[in-house]
Amino acid sequence: MIELAGLSKRYDETIAVENLSLEVARGELVVLLGGSGCGKTTTLKMVNRLIEPTAGRVRIGGRDTQELAPHELRRRIGYCFQQVGLFPHLDVAENVAITPSLLGWDVARTAARVDALLREVELEPEEFRSRRPNQLSGGQQQRVGLARALAAEPEVVLFDEPFGALDPLIRDRLQRSFQKIRRELGLTALFVTHDMVEALLLGDRIAVMNRGRLVQVGTPAELLAHPADDYVAELMETPRRHAEIVDRFLAPTAREES
């Protein structure tokens, strides 16, 4: 569904992304994982042409994205990011309805889609439809951002650390809601994060990037069991170490209960 072929981006002498090739199957979520400056967000933005590649091709559904005007391409791709970017002068329903309105959907279809998506992200339409962004919590704003990204029934959705600015409890709840929604809707998605645990929880496969290059692609189990190099092994060590610490805390309780 998404094909990146030899994708590269250079800024003068700086290489942001180098010769990256990756495929995402229909209904699959692939996580782009790596530290700051590894090229994962640049890669994501080349998919919807917020950044133009220096070399290589992006195809969605078999079609080269260069064949479409950037604004037309972006209306076909959902995009959800950390800063949310809700329009403060519009209410929740108007924010969610932006892309369907631009695509010429009729009022009844748009309203039905908005209400259905608000329910999907656990915001009752009757309560939240008419609120302004400044009347929402951070978690509620992020839910509206997710609904907006899905509003026009896009073939592909891009996520750029959408839960990164939230506190741990809200983040965990949104991750669980997101897993449910994406399975129900069969989303095809690229998801950027630097959080190893989030990558392991959400990704069907994980594509690890380092210094602009793709160093390993595999399922969470494959990366944990067979890291391709020291960098991937170091990334995978963090969630492994956290799990071991939790197990040590739980072990005395298990012994007492037995």
Side-chain angles (χ1 to χ4, degrees):
M1 187 62 184
I2 306 173
E3 181 185 357
L4 314 182
L7 208 59
S8 297
K9 182 62 182 179
R10 294 173 179 262
Y11 298 97
D12 297 325
E13 300 302 314
T14 301
I15 301 172
V17 177
E18 185 171 17
N19 196 30
L20 187 150
S21 294
L22 178 68
E23 293 187 14
V24 182
R26 185 178 297 274
E28 183 181 33
L29 185 145
V30 172
V31 173
L32 294 176
L33 173 67
S36 298
C38 72
K40 56 189 185 295
T41 292
T42 299
T43 300
L44 194 78
K45 289 183 176 180
M46 285 192 283
V47 174
N48 67 356
R49 295 183 62 189
L50 285 172
I51 294 176
E52 296 288 355
T54 305
R57 284 283 180 259
V58 177
R59 296 182 182 89
I60 295 179
R63 186 172 185 183
D64 193 322
T65 58
Q66 293 292 328
E67 296 175 2
L68 297 169
H71 71 277
E72 183 181 351
L73 173 68
R74 290 174 202 139
R75 290 175 186 176
R76 298 183 177 195
I77 298 176
Y79 188 42
C80 185
F81 48 98
Q82 185 180 122
Q83 293 80 14
V84 188
L86 300 180
F87 294 101
H89 62 290
L90 301 180
D91 63 27
V92 164
E94 290 167 335
N95 267 282
V96 176
I98 284 174
T99 302
S101 299
L102 290 171
L103 292 173
W105 288 24
D106 64 57
V107 174
R109 181 187 179 192
T110 300
R113 180 65 173 167
V114 168
D115 285 358
L117 284 171
L118 289 177
R119 291 189 183 97
E120 283 282 1
V121 299
E122 300 178 14
L123 296 175
E124 281 303 316
E126 293 76 14
E127 181 179 355
F128 289 96
R129 190 191 296 116
S130 299
R131 290 193 187 183
R132 293 295 176 93
N134 64 2
Q135 297 174 303
L136 304 176
S137 68
Q140 290 167 345
Q141 289 183 29
Q142 199 63 61
R143 289 175 187 275
V144 175
L146 175 57
R148 183 179 60 184
L150 302 176
E153 301 174 347
E155 293 181 306
V156 167
V157 187
L158 308 178
F159 297 93
D160 190 0
E161 304 205 51
F163 312 133
L166 302 174
D167 70 60
L169 288 177
I170 294 175
R171 184 172 187 170
D172 177 68
R173 185 175 177 188
L174 278 181
Q175 286 170 343
R176 286 185 280 119
S177 295
F178 172 72
Q179 286 177 304
K180 174 177 175 287
I181 291 167
R182 85 166 188 90
R183 291 189 181 113
E184 287 176 351
L185 300 181
L187 297 180
T188 302
L190 273 173
F191 190 108
V192 163
T193 185
H194 65 273
D195 186 312
M196 284 71 74
V197 174
E198 184 168 69
L200 293 170
L201 289 173
L202 299 182
D204 296 313
R205 288 187 298 147
I206 299 171
V208 180
M209 296 185 67
N210 187 24
R211 298 180 181 178
R213 295 185 177 185
L214 189 62
V215 294
Q216 186 173 2
V217 182
T219 66
E222 288 168 346
L223 266 64
L224 284 165
H226 305 291
D229 61 15
D230 290 344
Y231 178 71
V232 179
E234 185 177 359
L235 285 178
M236 294 300 105
E237 184 59 29
T238 299
R240 195 194 310 275
R241 186 173 62 252
H242 290 175
E244 290 171 353
I245 291 170
V246 171
D247 284 344
R248 286 202 298 271
F249 284 134
L250 292 176
T253 302
R255 287 196 295 269
E256 291 169 4
E257 290 177 350
S258 63

